[in-house]
């Protein structure tokens, strides 16, 4: 069993930056693909970015490409999401997720992820 805990969310002005962390316990994440998803009020959960087991493949949603960066530190069992040039439309609850299947390309579909954190709120004011 994998437990995931997100942190680093908060209130930031448009144009600002935040770094989210996702710390895992229970299992080592080194063989898991990790994903970040977000859900805004009244909207479906959407893919943000993901990273494969060795950090070599990192797809991004078009809406965050060039502004967000995902990374992982397997020694710390932690995945990060660096968010820059934040916009009000980035406001959402951000979730990290783990997929124990080992593929070169990490999944971009939420239902393919087995483990989820509780989420952290990110609010971007205009």
């Amino acid at each position: 069993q994998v437990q995931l805990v997100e942190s680093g969310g908060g209130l930031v002005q448009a144009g600002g930056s935040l770094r989210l962390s996702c710390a895992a316990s229970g299992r080592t994440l080194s063989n898991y693909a990790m994903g970040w998803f977000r859900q805004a009020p009244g909207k479906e959960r959407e893919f943000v970015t993901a990273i494969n087991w060795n950090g070599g493949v990192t797809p991004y949603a078009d809406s965050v490409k060039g502004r967000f960066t995902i990374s992982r530190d397997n020694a710390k069992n932690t995945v990060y999401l660096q968010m820059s040039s934040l916009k009000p439309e980035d406001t959402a609850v951000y979730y990290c997720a783990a997929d124990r299947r080992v593929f070169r390309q990490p999944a971009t579909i939420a239902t393919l992820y087995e483990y989820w954190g509780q989420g952290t709120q990110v609010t971007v004011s205009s």
Side-chain angles (χ1 to χ4, degrees):
Q1 194 75 3
V2 175
Q3 291 80 42
L4 303 174
V5 178
E6 303 95 335
S7 61
L11 174 64
V12 63
Q13 288 189 333
S17 299
L18 281 174
R19 188 176 82 154
L20 305 183
S21 299
C22 173
S25 61
R27 294 276 179 88
T28 178
L29 289 184
S30 59
N31 291 329
Y32 286 67
M34 300 298 296
W36 284 98
F37 293 79
R38 67 186 182 186
Q39 188 166 18
K43 295 187 177 181
E44 293 187 354
R45 190 169 299 189
E46 66 173 0
F47 170 76
V48 176
T49 182
I51 188 166
N52 73 340
W53 65 277
N54 68 357
V57 181
T58 54
Y60 292 89
D62 288 343
S63 58
V64 306
K65 201 170 293 183
R67 300 188 298 121
F68 290 12
T69 303
I70 189 171
S71 61
R72 65 189 302 160
D73 186 337
N74 286 341
K76 295 183 178 179
N77 232 23
T78 302
V79 177
Y80 304 98
L81 180 64
Q82 178 67 49
M83 305 186 295
S84 302
S85 301
L86 283 161
K87 305 175 181 180
E89 51 263 43
D90 294 318
T91 295
V93 177
Y94 283 71
Y95 299 90
C96 72
D99 175 8
R100 61 179 168 175
R101 301 171 308 145
V102 180
F103 295 127
R104 179 182 178 276
Q105 181 77 19
T108 60
I109 300 172
T111 54
L112 296 178
Y113 284 82
E114 184 173 2
Y115 302 104
W116 290 84
Q118 83 290 345
T120 185
Q121 176 70 46
V122 171
T123 302
V124 184
S125 63
S126 57

